[in-house]
Amino acid sequence: MKERPIPNEGQIDFTDKKKSIYTFADGVRILKLRQEHFEKGKIEQQDAEVEIHTRLPFLLVPTGDWHYGNVYCDIDRLQKDLKEIEDRPNTGIVLMGNLLDIPQPQHFDSVVQNPLSPQEQIHTLHQLIKHLDRKHKIIAAIDNPCHEGHVWRKEGIDVLSTLFHGARFPIIHNGGVVSVKFPGAEYKVALFHQFGPFNSNFNKSHGLQQMQRLLLGGQADVVVGAHHHVGEALKTWYGEGKVRKPVVYIRSGSYKGAYEPDRRDLWIQLRAGKTGEPGGESVILFPRQKAMSTELELDMGLKVFDALTLQEKVKIGEVFTDIE
């Protein structure tokens, strides 16, 4: 008897193959949940307000590019400058990024040369930041994709969440603005660790002035930039006519091979022919009327600040003098 032909002769069927039932709606639900969790876990914010309750001038020192942990770090000078600020009333710092020197893994020379490992850098510097925060000396900090960001890009570990754990002060996104409010005046301080394609090797404040014009719409009173290890403190006019106003532009220098002739930053010198420039640039903000004074060197900034503070104390009757 002739056999009946099998239907679909030679065909192979997979009868229990698992099929995906992961739909677009599922993707949207998970995305929204992850976005919510991501926002809740972030410590950074775009802008912030800081209230300072005083009748006397306030010295603000944007400081960064410490490169703590690097063999070229000017640690003695950094400690001296921070101590000067810590011991004076009405002074504070803004942390401008690259506080650490966690190297990119491909830069093997830095990996083996740095005296402190990344973990040692993070945990020991956290102690300093916590101490300064308890003393009410940190006004704000800024995030950045550089040395604090290398581990995030490679491993997804957020260094800033450990470095600034428990901080009272706000951590601002790169390009954010801190509104510093006094009883009689308010100052908008724009913070940039890096600032796009506008940096100039011939005009240190060019990039910051372009960010004031193109990004900030002229609203900032102080614009600060870091990253390139150059220092400058410039006060100049912005706008014209009724909207003309003074603006302070600060490049916040570095504490990496910038002070000791025998401890030059060879990482930069081998690439650019020179080492970096010192930090310590500052701006004095007046609380009862809007006025600013800026200095390049911290030592001079402290002298001017002390003199102006005494003058203001005389004006408000906190100090009595025979000087007419």
Side-chain angles (χ1 to χ4, degrees), residues 200-211:
S200 169
N201 291 324
F202 303 99
N203 181 351
K204 296 176 188 176
S205 68
H206 174 77
L208 300 182
Q209 294 196 49
Q210 293 303 317
M211 300 309 282

Side-chain angles (χ1 to χ4, degrees), residues 35 37-48 95 140-146 148-149 152 156-167 169-178 191:
Q35 287 175 334
H37 287 182
F38 181 74
E39 287 299 320
K40 286 181 178 179
K42 279 173 54 180
I43 61 171
E44 303 89 353
Q45 58 195 85
Q46 183 61 31
D47 302 306
L95 299 174
I142 187 173
D143 67 0
N144 74 89
C146 261
E148 287 89 356
W152 171 258
I157 300 172
D158 186 1
V159 167
L160 293 183
S161 65
T162 299
L163 196 61
F164 298 142
H165 178 71
F169 55 86
I171 295 90
I172 307 300
H173 283 306
N174 189 53
V177 175
V178 178
L191 305 174

Side-chain angles (χ1 to χ4, degrees), residues 257-300:
Y259 289 91
E260 299 292 335
D262 296 331
R263 191 186 291 124
R264 302 172 67 82
D265 180 4
L266 296 182
W267 196 92
I268 291 179
Q269 183 164 342
L270 291 173
R271 291 159 176 78
K274 72 180 189 70
T275 191
E277 296 175 349
E281 296 76 9
S282 64
V283 58
I284 299 172
L285 307 175
F286 286 77
R288 295 186 296 159
Q289 74 284 340
K290 200 164 187 176
M292 301 178 292
S293 177
T294 187
E295 289 291 336
L296 177 69
E297 301 161 290
L298 183 60
D299 291 344
M300 182 57 68

Side-chain angles (χ1 to χ4, degrees), residues 65-73 97-105 107 109-122 125 144 146-151 159 163 229 254-257 265 267-268:
D65 292 290
W66 296 351
H67 292 272
Y68 170 71
N70 187 279
V71 69
Y72 302 122
C73 176
N98 278 1
L99 308 176
L100 303 168
D101 197 77
I102 298 174
Q104 297 191 44
H107 292 162
D109 55 345
S110 296
V111 174
V112 299
Q113 193 176 51
N114 281 359
L116 297 177
S117 70
Q119 181 157 331
E120 289 171 328
Q121 293 179 38
I122 295 166
L125 190 59
N144 74 89
C146 261
H147 287 275
E148 287 89 356
H150 292 335
V151 179
V159 167
L163 196 61
H229 295 204
S254 173
Y255 286 87
K256 184 187 176 197
D265 180 4
W267 196 92
I268 291 179

